[in-house]
Amino acid sequence: MDSKMPTNIPASSLDFLKQLKENNNREWFNDNKDLYLKEYDAIEKFAESLLQELRNHDVIETVSGKKSLHRIYRDTRFSKDKTPYKTNWSGGFKRATALRRGGYYFHIESGNSFIAGGFWAPNTEDIKRIREDISFDPEPLRKIINSKSFVKTFGSLQGEQLKKAPKGFDTTDEAVDLLRYKQFLLIRKFADAEVLSPSFLKEADQTFKNMRPFFDYMSEVLTTDANGEQLPGLS
């Protein structure tokens, strides 16, 4: 990576999003396409820098910052909201191989920026394995989410929850508060001033680092059997 590559989010990138929010139509966007491409380039460089930092402590499948970025064009086919463009910059990094579970995500939007990770939509088999492990022994997960590092960074575990114990689990289970989770999300919010700070790249990467104990726990749960042996077909 070029050491001279900009690693900060420029204020103009947030300004563009504010303008787009006020003019969310194809005519305005097409008239300002050059401005969009300029700001997109800055976000791409930030994403590339963040990817290089992330690779210092994890194995990532995503090949480039550009490939991490999500499209700004909204899919309006099944939405009542027909505005054509997203009003945020966002991207995600995929951990390599089926042995490493959990994903990394960043979202840049004036007044609503955050770094996140975890399991947005775990499949039926995965969530069953997670719940069975938690019910058998909730202490490993509780130790992680109650640690000083976790609480300072993320506050608490986030995500949609059932109103009561999931089917097949007792409502009196000591871990019912954890069993009710349908998603397992780690989220750290950032003010605009923090996003625009030269230290944001470092803070974003440190936030990803602080997810690892949780990811390591989930990866072990989802890739080994009751005897701790690796499940067949994983590599």
Side-chain angles (χ1 to χ4, degrees), residues 35-54:
L35 180 59
Y36 161 71
L37 292 174
K38 174 178 174 289
E39 301 307 335
Y40 179 92
D41 183 64
I43 298 298
E44 180 186 325
K45 288 174 180 175
F46 170 81
E48 181 64 30
S49 297
L50 185 54
L51 173 60
Q52 297 306 323
E53 295 295 325
L54 187 53

Side-chain angles (χ1 to χ4, degrees), residues 157-219:
L157 188 62
Q158 302 291 312
E160 290 185 9
Q161 301 180 48
L162 299 169
K163 292 183 178 179
K164 55 184 180 180
K167 185 177 180 180
F169 294 88
D170 198 320
T171 56
T172 62
D173 192 302
E174 65 170 319
V176 69
D177 58 316
L178 297 174
L179 297 175
R180 291 191 294 109
Y181 278 92
K182 297 165 61 178
Q183 301 173 310
F184 300 87
L185 307 178
L186 315 183
I187 302 172
R188 179 185 177 187
K189 296 184 178 181
F190 290 83
D192 289 0
E194 293 175 304
V195 171
L196 301 179
S197 167
S199 65
F200 181 59
L201 177 69
K202 180 181 177 181
E203 289 298 326
D205 181 58
Q206 186 62 51
T207 303
F208 285 155
K209 276 185 182 180
N210 291 356
M211 295 178 185
R212 277 298 295 278
F214 178 78
F215 283 177
D216 290 346
Y217 163 79
M218 285 292 189
S219 295

Side-chain angles (χ1 to χ4, degrees), residues 4-235:
K4 296 182 180 179
M5 178 182 288
T7 58
N8 62 303
I9 302 289
S12 57
S13 292
L14 291 186
D15 292 339
F16 172 80
L17 294 176
K18 291 176 184 177
Q19 293 180 59
L20 178 58
K21 191 172 184 177
E22 295 172 358
N23 304 276
N24 202 328
N25 61 77
R26 290 181 176 82
E27 183 178 6
W28 183 90
F29 189 86
N30 289 334
D31 286 345
N32 291 272
K33 192 67 174 289
D34 289 344
L35 180 59
Y36 161 71
L37 292 174
K38 174 178 174 289
E39 301 307 335
Y40 179 92
D41 183 64
I43 298 298
E44 180 186 325
K45 288 174 180 175
F46 170 81
E48 181 64 30
S49 297
L50 185 54
L51 173 60
Q52 297 306 323
E53 295 295 325
L54 187 53
R55 282 180 171 159
N56 289 327
H57 54 87
D58 204 352
V59 185
I60 304 299
E61 186 174 302
T62 307
V63 297
S64 67
K66 183 175 183 177
K67 288 293 185 181
S68 78
L69 296 181
H70 298 152
R71 287 165 52 87
I72 202 167
Y73 307 97
R74 295 183 63 250
D75 183 352
T76 61
R77 291 174 298 173
F78 308 107
S79 175
K80 291 182 180 179
D81 180 0
K82 297 301 181 182
T83 51
Y85 306 105
K86 299 173 185 174
T87 55
N88 63 76
W89 307 107
S90 64
F93 303 102
K94 184 176 181 181
R95 305 182 75 207
T97 83
L99 294 175
R100 296 180 181 87
R101 298 298 179 90
Y104 299 105
Y105 175 78
F106 66 90
H107 181 107
I108 307 299
E109 180 180 10
S110 184
N112 185 39
S113 295
F114 57 90
I115 299 294
F119 301 80
W120 179 260
N123 62 43
T124 302
E125 182 180 347
D126 280 355
I127 202 162
K128 182 174 183 291
R129 292 183 65 86
I130 291 169
R131 285 171 173 163
E132 287 175 345
D133 192 86
I134 291 173
S135 181
F136 176 73
D137 182 9
E139 288 313 304
L141 179 56
R142 288 202 191 280
K143 183 177 180 181
I144 292 168
I145 65 176
N146 290 330
S147 69
K148 288 183 179 180
S149 173
F150 189 97
V151 173
K152 182 179 180 181
T153 308
F154 307 110
S156 61
L157 188 62
Q158 302 291 312
E160 290 185 9
Q161 301 180 48
L162 299 169
K163 292 183 178 179
K164 55 184 180 180
K167 185 177 180 180
F169 294 88
D170 198 320
T171 56
T172 62
D173 192 302
E174 65 170 319
V176 69
D177 58 316
L178 297 174
L179 297 175
R180 291 191 294 109
Y181 278 92
K182 297 165 61 178
Q183 301 173 310
F184 300 87
L185 307 178
L186 315 183
I187 302 172
R188 179 185 177 187
K189 296 184 178 181
F190 290 83
D192 289 0
E194 293 175 304
V195 171
L196 301 179
S197 167
S199 65
F200 181 59
L201 177 69
K202 180 181 177 181
E203 289 298 326
D205 181 58
Q206 186 62 51
T207 303
F208 285 155
K209 276 185 182 180
N210 291 356
M211 295 178 185
R212 277 298 295 278
F214 178 78
F215 283 177
D216 290 346
Y217 163 79
M218 285 292 189
S219 295
E220 183 175 358
V221 169
L222 294 171
T223 61
T224 60
D225 61 21
N227 296 318
E229 299 293 329
Q230 183 176 311
L231 294 172
L234 298 179
S235 61

